[in-house]
């Protein structure tokens, strides 16, 4: 097959490309330049898409003996990922930019270009597995290494994109094994630090990034009875379940800590309350992407629900009704916010994904 290997400049994508070459595919490497400030260098594990990353990707391609290109997708990334991130926070929701990047950039724009250029598949360094059923259906599964599993941020792909994707690292036992293989292959990125946090917030200060982008909007922090207990510089900077950074001058009457229980950006008000108000047992998701055509709709199906990339899944049942998912949990889940990605599993298999619209106690 003709395979387009996405080379980020990190160790994972380099080893994934090497494995695609070993498998006998005709591989071409491409680096997606996503940042509008690519002349800046990384600071350890912060940031991405710098000139350093582009150079590391080129060196990896040279070592593997494959053609290498750079595609400037910075405008698409800004409009579809960064602006979406800002718009969601401005609306009082909690987005996951990695999900949006995978949806719109890595497995939408990239696949579209790959298809036009005659490639059969795209290979990336994501940690996930694709299994093929006897009837030919391709299933998305968790990676063997649970600590590195990225199936949560890939669930938004949809069955068509899964059918044209390759994840050569899905069966790797650990990141240490990936680094050891990179070193054995002579790839210079074997000890390069991983990127963490939000890639376009290079200093890790998400609140500061939001304030610089959206401006200060002073308002009140109130308790569950509506009494003003503090102030803020923008409701958009808070998320449900948050405890730190509230700036509340006095404790609750019972002395217990308070958490953000609601964010109303239309009124510019943040509501805080006791931890007990954070627990929910019903999740409703919209804009559903379903990956399991063999799993029936309109009837309860046993599942596990996950709302954070590395959060613990919670058992329950899911009912799918068109574009809407309703999950009833066996045990309460805490700190769930609108805008999060709701991913449905059965064991290691991803059944589907939706954007969390509401939750109920």
């Amino acid at each position: 097959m003709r395979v387009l290997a996405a080379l980020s400049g990190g160790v994972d994508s380099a080893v994934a490309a090497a494995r695609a070459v070993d498998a006998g595919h005709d591989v071409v490497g491409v680096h997606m330049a996503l940042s509008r400030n690519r002349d800046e260098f990384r600071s350890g594990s912060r940031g991405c898409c710098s000139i350093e990353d582009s150079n590391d990707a080129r060196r990896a391609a040279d070592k593997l003996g494959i053609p290498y290109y750079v595609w400037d997708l910075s405008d698409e990334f800004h409009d579809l990922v960064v602006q979406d991130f800002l718009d969601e926070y401005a609306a009082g929701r909690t987005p996951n930019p990695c999900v949006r990047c995978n949806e719109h950039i890595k497995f939408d724009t990239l696949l579209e270009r790959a298809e036009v250029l005659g490639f059969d598949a795209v290979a990336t360094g994501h940690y996930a597995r694709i299994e093929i059923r006897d009837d030919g259906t391709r299933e998305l599964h968790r990676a063997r290494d649970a600590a590195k599993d990225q199936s949560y941020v890939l669930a938004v792909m949809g069955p068509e994109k899964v059918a044209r994707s390759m994840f050569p690292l899905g069966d790797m036992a650990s990141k240490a094994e990936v680094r050891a293989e990179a070193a054995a292959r002579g790839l210079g990125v074997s000890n390069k630090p991983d990127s963490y946090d939000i890639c376009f917030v290079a200093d890790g200060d998400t609140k500061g990034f939001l304030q610089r982008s959206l401006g200060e909007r002073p308002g009140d922090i109130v308790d569950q009875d509506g009494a003003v207990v503090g102030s803020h510089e923008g409701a958009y900077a808070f998320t449900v379940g948050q405890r730190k950074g509230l700036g509340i001058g006095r404790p609750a009457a019972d002395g217990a800590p308070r958490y953000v229980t609601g964010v109303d950006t239309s009124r510019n008000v943040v509501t805080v309350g006791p931890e007990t108000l954070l627990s929910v047992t019903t999740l409703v998701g919209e804009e559903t992407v379903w990956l399991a055509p063999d799993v029936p709709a309109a009837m309860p199906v046993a599942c596990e629900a996950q709302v954070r990339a590395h959060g613990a899944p919670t058992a329950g049942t899911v009912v799918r009704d068109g574009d809407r998912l309703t999950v009833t949990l066996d045990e309460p889940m805490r700190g769930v916010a609108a805008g999060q990605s709701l991913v449905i599993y059965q064991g290691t298999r991803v059944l589907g994904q939706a954007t969390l619209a509401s939750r109920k106690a």
Side-chain angles (χ1 to χ4, degrees), residues 101-125:
C101 184
N102 282 312
E103 177 184 10
H104 295 302
I105 305 297
K106 295 178 181 176
F107 295 101
D108 193 345
T109 302
L110 186 64
L111 272 172
E112 285 180 4
R113 293 193 179 196
E115 183 177 14
V116 169
L117 294 172
F119 288 93
D120 302 299
V122 167
T124 74

